[in-house]
Amino acid sequence: PVVRSIPALGVLLNTELRGDSVGTRILAWSVAIESAKDYPLFGWGPNNYYYAFNQHFRPESLEYGWAETWFDNANNIFLNTLSAQGIFGLLVYLALFVTAIVTVVKRYRQGSVPFIMMGLSIAFLGAHVVQNIFVFENPTSYLYFFFTLAFMNGYGMKYAEVKQDVRSGKISVGVVGGVTGLMLLFLYATNVNPARANMAMLHAIQSIYQGEDPITQYEKVTVISTPHIDDIRNDFSRTMLDIAPQYKTAGREADARRGIEFAFKELEKNRELHPLDIRVHIQQAEQAQFLLLSTNDPAWLLAGEKILEDARRYSPSRQQLVYMLAPVKAALGKVDEAVALLQHTIDEDPKIAEGWWRLALVHEQGGLHAEALRVLQEAEGKGIVFTGSGAEV
C-alpha cells in the first residue's frame, strides 16, 4: 500500500499487462521472431518489417479489429532490428549501448568522470532499453539517444586525447562555389522538388473533388521530378476510388470509368516497383471490381482474381484477401474454391464472425440453403455473435 501511493512508482506498480495493445504487440513480436528465421544474418532489409509481417500474418490479429491487421513495425526495437537487419544488425545496435557503458565506466575509473555522471548516463541508457522493448525509435527519441551518446563520449575527455589537425592554406573560391552548388542541387532534388510535387498533388486532389478532369490534374503533378512518385500514384488511385461513386451519381460514369482505368494502369507500375506491397494489390482489386460493375466485362473479374491470387503469395493467412477473393471465385463458377478458401480462414481462427457469414452467403448464393443454415448454426453454437453485415445475412 505504501509503494502504491507513491506517484511515480505507484503508476508503474498498478500497470497491468493485458488488453488489446498488449495482445497485438505480442503478435507483432512473434512475427518478428518467426520472420528472422527467413534471413537470419542480415534480415529482410531496413524498414521492411511490413513485408515480413504480411508474410507471417497471424489470423488472430483480426480479433482486435481491422486497424490491428496492419503493422509496419514490431513495437520492439530489438526484435524489429532482428527481423529487418538480422543478427548482424542487432549486434551492431546492442554494441552502441555496450560501448557507451564501457567507455563511461572506464573514464570513471580513470577519475575523469564523477560517479553521479556515470550513474545518470547508465540509468538513461537502461531506461532507453526498457522503453524500446515496447516501442520503436522516432526522431525525438533518436535526438535524446544520440545526444546522450555524444555527451558520454565527450564528457571527461582529456584535452590531450583530442587530436589537433591544423592545416595551412586557404580554400579556393572555385572549390567553395562548386561544393555550395552541389549542396544546393542536392537540396533541391531531395527536398524542394518533392515538396513541390506533394503540394501539386494536394492541389490536384482538391481540383478533382471540385469537378476538374482527374487525369489532366494528375499529369500536371507527374511532370515534377520526385523520388516519391509511387506515393503520388497511390494518392491518385485512392482519390479516384473515393470519388467514383459521386461521379456515377452525377451522371459522369464515363469519366469515373476512364479515371479508374487510368489509375489501374498507374498502380500496375507500383506493383512492379513494390511487388510485396499488398496494399497496392488491394487497391487494384477494388478498381477491377468497380470496372466490372461499370462495364460488365468479365475480363475485369479475371484481372481481380489474378491480382488477389498474387497478393496471397505474400500474405497467405490474411483474411481480408480471402474475403475479397472468395466472391470473385464464386462469380467465376469456382464455388468449391471459394468455399475452401473461406473454410480455411475459419479453421485458422474460428472466432472471426465474418468468415462464417461469408461462407454461409456463398452456400446460399449457390442454392445450398440448408448448408448455409448449417454453417450459421454451427457458428452460433460456438458463441459467434453476428452484427452489421453478418446480422443481415
Side-chain angles (χ1 to χ4, degrees):
V2 174
V3 176
R4 289 182 185 277
S5 65
I6 301 174
L9 294 179
V11 173
L12 182 62
L13 187 65
N14 294 329
T15 299
E16 295 183 2
L17 292 177
R18 65 183 184 185
D20 290 357
S21 63
V22 175
T24 53
R25 271 174 167 75
I26 292 174
L27 287 173
W29 296 352
S30 66
V31 167
I33 295 171
E34 186 67 24
S35 63
K37 299 175 184 177
D38 297 330
Y39 309 102
L41 190 57
F42 295 111
W44 282 70
N47 297 319
N48 281 355
Y49 175 80
Y50 164 71
Y51 302 129
F53 181 82
N54 286 336
Q55 187 66 52
H56 296 276
F57 179 80
R58 298 286 194 272
E60 56 265 38
S61 297
L62 187 53
E63 295 177 19
Y64 301 96
W66 286 106
E68 300 300 333
T69 61
W70 297 97
F71 271 70
D72 59 4
N73 198 291
N75 283 284
N76 179 315
I77 191 63
F78 304 103
L79 293 179
N80 194 83
T81 303
L82 177 64
S83 173
Q85 281 120 319
I87 296 172
F88 176 81
L90 180 60
L91 290 176
V92 170
Y93 182 68
L94 292 173
L96 287 172
F97 295 89
V98 174
T99 304
I101 292 172
V102 169
T103 300
V104 76
V105 170
K106 179 181 177 181
R107 287 182 177 160
Y108 163 71
R109 290 175 176 173
Q110 292 173 345
S112 57
V113 172
F115 177 80
I116 185 65
M117 292 310 302
M118 179 188 70
L120 287 174
S121 298
I122 295 176
F124 174 86
L125 291 178
H128 198 73
V129 166
V130 172
Q131 168 192 270
N132 284 355
I133 294 174
F134 302 98
V135 294
F136 48 89
E137 296 281 13
N138 59 72
T140 303
S141 68
Y142 269 139
L143 282 173
Y144 282 114
F145 182 44
F146 289 121
F147 179 84
T148 302
L149 291 179
F151 174 77
M152 293 171 66
N153 182 61
Y155 191 85
M157 182 181 289
K158 298 178 180 179
Y159 184 76
E161 296 177 9
V162 182
K163 295 182 179 180
Q164 299 295 320
D165 187 8
V166 181
R167 298 184 182 184
S168 59
K170 297 181 179 180
I171 301 176
S172 67
V173 176
V175 172
V176 173
V179 172
T180 302
L182 287 174
M183 288 176 60
L184 291 175
L185 182 63
F186 180 76
L187 288 171
Y188 182 81
T190 59
N191 287 270
V192 177
N193 238 13
R196 287 178 60 230
N198 290 344
M199 293 303 295
M201 189 61 210
L202 177 61
H203 177 73
I205 292 173
Q206 293 170 339
S207 299
I208 292 170
Y209 276 103
Q210 291 169 1
E212 299 290 336
D213 180 62
I215 297 177
T216 301
Q217 296 301 318
Y218 173 76
E219 288 176 340
K220 289 180 180 178
V221 181
T222 56
V223 298
I224 304 173
S225 177
T226 172
H228 307 299
I229 185 63
D230 51 347
D231 289 328
I232 287 175
R233 292 180 190 132
N234 286 336
D235 289 341
F236 175 72
S237 175
R238 280 192 295 269
T239 301
M240 286 310 307
L241 282 171
D242 287 342
I243 205 170
Q246 299 177 32
Y247 273 37
K248 290 186 67 174
T249 303
R252 298 179 58 187
E253 186 169 349
D255 289 338
R257 184 166 58 249
R258 186 171 68 94
I260 292 290
E261 287 178 350
F262 183 84
F264 184 91
K265 293 176 182 177
E266 289 297 290
L267 275 186
E268 191 65 30
K269 300 174 184 177
N270 273 10
R271 200 149 65 91
E272 293 175 4
L273 187 64
H274 304 295
L276 302 182
D277 191 348
I278 61 172
R279 290 171 298 188
V280 178
H281 294 74
I282 290 172
Q283 279 198 64
Q284 270 199 307
E286 290 174 344
Q287 291 169 346
Q289 183 180 23
F290 175 88
L291 292 169
L292 171 68
L293 297 174
S294 180
T295 65
N296 290 320
D297 185 352
W300 290 112
L301 198 60
L302 293 170
E305 180 190 33
K306 183 175 181 297
I307 291 166
L308 290 169
E309 288 280 17
D310 187 52
R312 291 196 69 239
R313 292 168 51 203
Y314 307 118
S315 191
S317 294
R318 185 177 288 275
Q319 298 100 321
Q320 183 177 358
L321 297 176
V322 173
Y323 296 161
M324 295 180 70
L325 180 58
V328 174
K329 291 282 190 183
L332 288 169
K334 303 176 182 179
V335 177
D336 289 344
E337 289 186 33
V339 168
L341 286 169
L342 290 167
Q343 185 62 54
H344 183 65
T345 66
I346 294 172
D347 293 340
E348 286 195 315
D349 189 347
K351 296 179 182 178
I352 307 299
E354 188 162 348
W356 291 97
W357 69 255
R358 283 188 177 274
L359 178 58
L361 185 59
V362 168
H363 284 310
E364 179 71 15
Q365 291 173 340
L368 301 175
H369 182 70
E371 186 65 17
L373 288 179
R374 183 197 65 76
V375 169
L376 294 177
Q377 290 168 358
E378 182 182 351
E380 290 175 349
K382 293 179 180 295
I384 300 296
V385 177
F386 295 105
T387 59
S389 297
E392 293 176 10
V393 171

